[in-house]
Amino acid sequence: MQQFDIKRMTLRDLWKIFRRRMWVIILPFVAVVTVAVPGSFLLTPEYQAEVTLISQAVDEGSVLEGLVSMRLSPQERIQMIIQRIKSRKYMNQVAGKTNIVEYLRRKKKGPVLEQHVIEYLRGIVSVRHRAGDIVEISVVHEDANRAMNIANAVANVYVDKTLLNRQESISGSVNFIDEQLAEFQRRLSQAEQDLLDEQKKGVLESLDKDSATFLEQLTRLDADLVDNDLTLQQAQEQLRVARSRLQAGDSRSLQFTNPEILRLKAELASLNTQLTELQKKYSDDWPEVRRLKVEVAQKEAELGRAENKVPQNPTKDTSAESEYWQEEVRRLIIQKLALTNKIAEYNQKLQQMPQRQLNLARLTREKAAIENMYSLLLQRKNNAIILQATESDKKGHVAEVLDAAVRPEKPIKPNKKKIAVMAVALGLMLGGGVAFLLEFFD
């Protein structure tokens, strides 16, 4: 026992130990390899099928509100996609398309509850983010054909539901706008009647020129204040998201969305759509076509000037974007205070009018405000109708399968080569260890 010193052993000593303990080494090695290698052929093979799809973020609120909805980070969007794909509603539809209930019933030889089906599908379906808007869905199953069918069913259910939700969102927005239009039309008729009744009291008296000009300026200030409030809400939301990203240490840029640029792009898109429709019917010399071409050129120039006002790379990092939106919020707050003070001054002057003129001014102002809101709703409805009409032609902008799953030819498990190598290594280690222990205690 004292003569056994592993530090002083040579290759000749090891060879002597091997010859002396050869069967002690060989028997465990053979036992491990004999059990592991044939056992790998008895393991149930598992196949993996993958499908790649693109799923872009869509601002569903833009149709109804005309605002930029909150921008989600890539991690948040992927988590949202995973939650949707693995939700009970989606998994139930996948189960219906793949007849997985019958498969589990045969496998378990008994009744299968809905919760068992959901948990089974969630266990074999995985979703991961590849790059940009690219998402990969993979399914691992013991049956290659079933793995392919389940993967394609998951992707198709997600795409179909996403497009359906988008269309329902647009239809719901149009219906809501229709309801609001009916309400504002009623209010506009009432305002016109109230104004007419007030004018009849003074034998169809109307505002004098100075009062009409004064009231027009006040109405314009009211509209500017409403526009400022909407833009300020946008900027505050963008600032909140940028700060959240900055605190989380996420240096990847958000999509930069300047409200003015978005508005100009929307107007430019609308003009181009009108121009395209007219060019299908008339030549380029048609007066309306020439007019629209001039408007498109002017709008493009205006858009260029607006884009030059913002930083060339405002999202180089989240710190720069946070600073930009902080400055934008500060500017809009100052603008709002100036508009509020200006309106307060006009209201004080308005109170100095004679009672008859004051009533006419109040009713005229209310009528103008309702007309502005009615015109805004009409514009939103037209935009929603155009979007609804072209939605079927732009499905790929929402969700689309890029590469459908194909039948996997080789299983990913078990890896017989890896098992064999590990069995050989483990057998040698076990045999050698036993031999050295016997030599140590001998």
Side-chain angles (χ1 to χ4, degrees):
M1 179 176 170
Q2 295 177 351
Q3 296 177 355
F4 186 83
D5 190 352
I6 193 171
K7 293 182 179 180
R8 296 182 180 180
M9 293 183 66
T10 63
L11 291 176
R12 179 174 295 181
D13 296 329
L14 292 174
W15 174 249
K16 289 180 180 179
I17 293 174
F18 175 75
R19 291 187 62 184
R20 200 163 45 243
R21 307 290 183 183
M22 182 174 61
W23 290 107
V24 175
I25 297 174
I26 292 177
L27 287 177
F29 170 78
V30 172
V32 172
V33 173
T34 302
V35 171
V37 175
S40 66
F41 288 89
L42 299 177
L43 294 175
T44 302
E46 293 185 352
Y47 298 86
Q48 178 173 287
E50 297 177 340
V51 57
T52 305
L53 58 84
I54 182 170
S55 178
Q56 297 185 354
V58 178
D59 298 323
E60 295 181 356
S62 61
V63 178
L64 177 61
E65 301 164 356
L67 298 175
V68 180
S69 51
M70 186 182 74
R71 300 287 181 180
L72 297 176
S73 67
Q75 297 90 339
E76 292 171 330
R77 288 211 302 112
I78 293 302
Q79 286 302 316
M80 181 184 68
I81 292 173
I82 293 174
Q83 291 175 5
R84 285 183 177 178
I85 289 176
K86 294 194 173 185
S87 66
R88 180 179 295 273
K89 181 187 295 185
Y90 282 38
M91 291 291 98
N92 275 329
Q93 291 193 22
V94 172
K97 289 178 176 290
T98 57
N99 200 24
I100 200 70
V101 176
E102 184 63 28
Y103 167 80
L104 292 177
R105 187 179 292 116
R106 291 196 306 267
K107 186 176 181 179
K108 293 187 175 183
K109 298 181 180 179
V112 178
L113 300 178
E114 177 186 343
Q115 186 60 32
H116 295 159
V117 177
I118 302 301
E119 291 176 356
Y120 177 79
L121 286 174
R122 287 173 177 171
I124 64 175
V125 175
S126 60
V127 185
R128 70 184 183 94
H129 178 223
R130 282 179 53 181
D133 297 318
I134 306 300
V135 177
E136 185 177 82
I137 300 173
S138 62
V139 174
V140 177
H141 198 275
E142 60 189 30
D143 186 300
N145 289 324
R146 197 173 291 275
M148 175 189 67
N149 293 335
I150 293 176
N152 286 327
V154 171
N156 291 332
V157 166
Y158 175 77
V159 170
D160 292 343
K161 291 293 292 182
T162 300
L163 298 179
L164 180 61
N165 291 339
R166 173 64 172 163
Q167 292 167 355
E168 289 178 348
S169 174
I170 297 173
S171 298
S173 299
V174 173
N175 294 336
F176 178 80
I177 293 174
D178 283 336
E179 294 176 359
Q180 294 297 307
L181 279 172
E183 173 62 19
F184 274 93
Q185 189 173 27
R186 183 192 63 79
R187 291 173 58 182
L188 181 59
S189 299
Q190 184 63 44
E192 291 174 344
Q193 186 60 46
D194 292 342
L195 181 60
L196 182 60
D197 292 342
E198 185 66 25
Q199 289 176 335
K200 286 182 178 180
K201 293 179 181 178
V203 191
L204 295 180
E205 179 181 359
S206 60
L207 293 173
D208 55 46
K209 184 177 180 181
D210 292 339
S211 298
T213 302
F214 175 82
L215 190 59
E216 182 181 351
Q217 294 173 348
L218 181 56
T219 303
R220 190 179 301 114
L221 287 173
D222 288 335
D224 291 343
L225 183 60
V226 171
D227 182 68
N228 175 274
D229 283 335
L230 296 178
T231 308
L232 179 59
Q233 290 175 20
Q234 278 186 191
Q236 288 173 335
E237 177 60 28
Q238 294 290 341
L239 176 61
R240 187 195 69 78
V241 174
R243 284 177 172 174
S244 175
R245 292 287 299 280
L246 187 61
Q247 291 174 358
D250 189 350
S251 60
R252 282 181 290 186
S253 63
L254 293 170
Q255 182 176 357
F256 188 77
T257 49
N258 181 275
E260 180 66 14
I261 292 176
L262 288 175
R263 181 185 64 80
L264 291 173
K265 285 184 176 180
E267 293 176 357
L268 181 60
S270 178
L271 288 174
N272 281 323
T273 301
Q274 297 177 38
L275 180 59
T276 301
E277 292 299 323
L278 284 179
Q279 286 178 329
K280 292 178 180 179
K281 302 178 181 179
Y282 307 104
S283 65
D284 290 344
D285 295 332
W286 190 262
E288 188 66 16
V289 173
R290 291 204 304 268
R291 183 188 67 80
L292 281 175
K293 282 186 175 181
V294 172
E295 289 191 19
V296 167
Q298 293 174 346
K299 195 63 66 176
E300 288 176 343
E302 189 177 355
L303 176 60
R305 290 192 296 270
E307 290 177 337
N308 291 332
K309 291 181 181 179
V310 301
Q312 292 300 314
N313 189 13
T315 57
K316 185 176 181 180
D317 52 54
T318 50
S319 177
E321 185 175 24
S322 178
E323 292 175 2
Y324 173 84
W325 286 114
Q326 186 173 355
E327 183 61 30
E328 184 69 6
V329 168
R330 186 182 296 111
R331 182 188 69 80
L332 290 170
I333 290 176
I334 293 174
Q335 185 185 64
K336 181 177 182 178
L337 290 174
L339 286 171
T340 303
N341 292 334
K342 193 70 174 178
I343 290 174
E345 293 177 6
Y346 271 73
N347 283 329
Q348 288 181 355
K349 295 179 180 179
L350 190 66
Q351 298 299 324
Q352 298 174 2
M353 289 184 178
Q355 186 62 37
R356 176 74 63 184
Q357 292 285 327
L358 183 60
N359 290 338
L360 283 173
R362 178 181 60 80
L363 293 172
T364 304
R365 183 182 180 186
E366 289 179 358
K367 176 176 173 290
I370 295 173
E371 285 177 339
N372 289 335
M373 282 300 302
Y374 188 78
S375 299
L376 178 62
L377 286 171
L378 278 177
Q379 180 182 359
R380 299 278 165 80
K381 181 181 179 180
N382 291 333
N383 292 340
I385 291 175
I386 293 174
L387 183 60
Q388 189 177 38
T390 59
E391 187 65 22
S392 58
D393 297 330
K394 50 181 291 188
K395 289 182 178 180
H397 293 271
V398 183
E400 179 185 12
V401 174
L402 296 181
D403 293 314
V406 296
R407 186 185 185 279
E409 297 297 332
K410 298 180 180 179
I412 61 170
K413 296 179 182 179
N415 189 331
K416 296 181 178 65
K417 292 182 180 179
K418 185 177 180 181
I419 291 176
V421 172
M422 292 179 64
V424 170
L426 181 61
L428 290 175
M429 290 173 60
L430 182 59
V434 172
F436 272 98
L437 284 175
L438 291 176
E439 195 71 22
F440 180 79
F441 287 107
D442 191 355

